[in-house]
Amino acid sequence: MKTINLIEHPKWFYQKVRVLQQFLDLSAVHTYVDGPEDAVGISPDGQIQFKVLRNRIDHELEKQALPVCRFVYEPGSAAKRLVAAGYVVDPKASSVVIGYFERHRHQPYGRPTAFTYKYPELFKQMQPYMQAVDRVYREELPEIYAVQQAAVAKTKPCWIIPGTASTTGTINQDWQTACHPDEGNLPGAFSALTCMASGLTGGELILPRWGVAIQWGYGDVLLGNFHELHCNAPFVGEPGTFERITCVFYFREKMILCGTQAEERDRVKMM
């Protein structure tokens, strides 16, 4: 395991305002994390900020999940995530939420996402893959994972992805994100990212506060504090000839407040 002692951008208090919603490239980084070795990034206060684990997910599980990830592809849907999209409409970029979501001002009730509701068998097909990613998280970062487990214990079981400590996932395809934080996720917990890409290079995850870019791909799991600003480096490949799918699994903080699915449906009836 390679340890990377992170160095904060010297003017981060001001810089974070400048880079929010902006697209960055590798000129914004001084530390490039790649190769076959596992790596962990430690901030100056001794806190883990990310951990990348190489070749942890069985290829057969990826083969089982990949058709589902391709099925959910919705070209242009990533533009709905305004900040992460940098307020740019990319007609090919897709971002689709799976699992469960909390009450929202437009939909004030807990609910399965549209994909989960419409395609329960496909959601079930994804679960062995999601469970494998979750096991890596549990084994590699037990103290941080415990924060998430404590939230699971306070949440109705119907909102937890079976066999995991996550409520929700996002499947992104062919989308270079701008600098954004992952808002609404459980404080103190991490997100777990995977990447299945072919026909291109680039797309590294950039953490501008620490000047780090992380390359990861098939078989790898990237665990990180993505409450911090992050984005992707530009893709290098011929448009229309490559495929890049990333999956993000996490716990939505306000799922704790939801009743059972029947109770949440009753909220709809009372509106």
Side-chain angles (χ1 to χ4, degrees), residues 67-267:
V68 181
C69 296
R70 288 170 174 157
F71 179 83
V72 304
Y73 180 53
E74 291 184 13
S77 59
K80 297 175 184 177
R81 293 183 57 191
L82 300 177
V83 175
Y87 289 86
V88 172
V89 177
D90 183 337
K92 295 181 180 179
S94 173
S95 183
V96 176
V97 180
I98 66 172
Y100 308 98
F101 218 77
E102 74 267 19
R103 300 167 187 168
H104 185 273
R105 64 183 180 276
H106 298 305
Q107 293 176 296
Y109 49 89
R111 62 206 181 277
T113 67
F115 165 80
T116 306
Y117 179 76
K118 292 178 182 178
Y119 306 105
E121 290 305 313
L122 290 177
F123 182 57
K124 187 175 181 180
Q125 184 175 328
M126 276 288 292
Q127 288 175 18
Y129 179 76
M130 294 188 285
Q131 290 161 1
V133 175
D134 189 83
R135 281 194 297 273
V136 175
Y137 182 8
R138 183 179 68 241
E139 292 168 1
E140 292 291 336
L141 293 175
E143 293 183 2
I144 297 174
Y145 187 87
V147 174
Q148 205 156 313
Q149 281 187 309
V152 169
K154 300 175 184 177
T155 305
K156 298 293 188 292
C158 58
W159 304 120
I160 306 299
I161 296 172
T164 78
S166 295
T167 59
T168 316
T170 302
I171 300 174
N172 300 320
Q173 184 163 346
D174 298 343
W175 184 28
Q176 181 196 352
T177 60
C179 281
H180 67 283
D182 287 349
E183 297 180 332
N185 293 351
L186 183 69
F190 276 16
S191 298
L193 278 65
T194 62
C195 180
M196 295 177 279
S198 58
L200 79 164
T201 57
E204 296 91 345
L205 187 93
I206 295 175
L207 299 169
R209 180 176 183 178
W210 310 114
V212 168
I214 305 166
Q215 179 277 329
W216 88 116
Y218 275 103
D220 300 341
V221 177
L222 173 55
L223 307 170
N225 172 18
F226 300 122
H227 305 283
E228 293 282 353
L229 293 184
H230 57 284
C231 63
N232 293 112
F235 303 152
V236 181
E238 186 67 30
T241 66
F242 64 75
E243 175 182 70
R244 186 179 187 275
I245 294 171
T246 57
C247 299
V248 190
F249 305 113
Y250 47 93
F251 189 102
R252 295 292 296 176
E253 180 183 11
K254 292 185 178 179
M255 294 305 299
I256 293 173
L257 304 177
C258 294
T260 64
Q261 292 196 16
E263 290 168 339
E264 294 300 307
R265 286 193 294 269
D266 286 341
R267 289 175 62 88

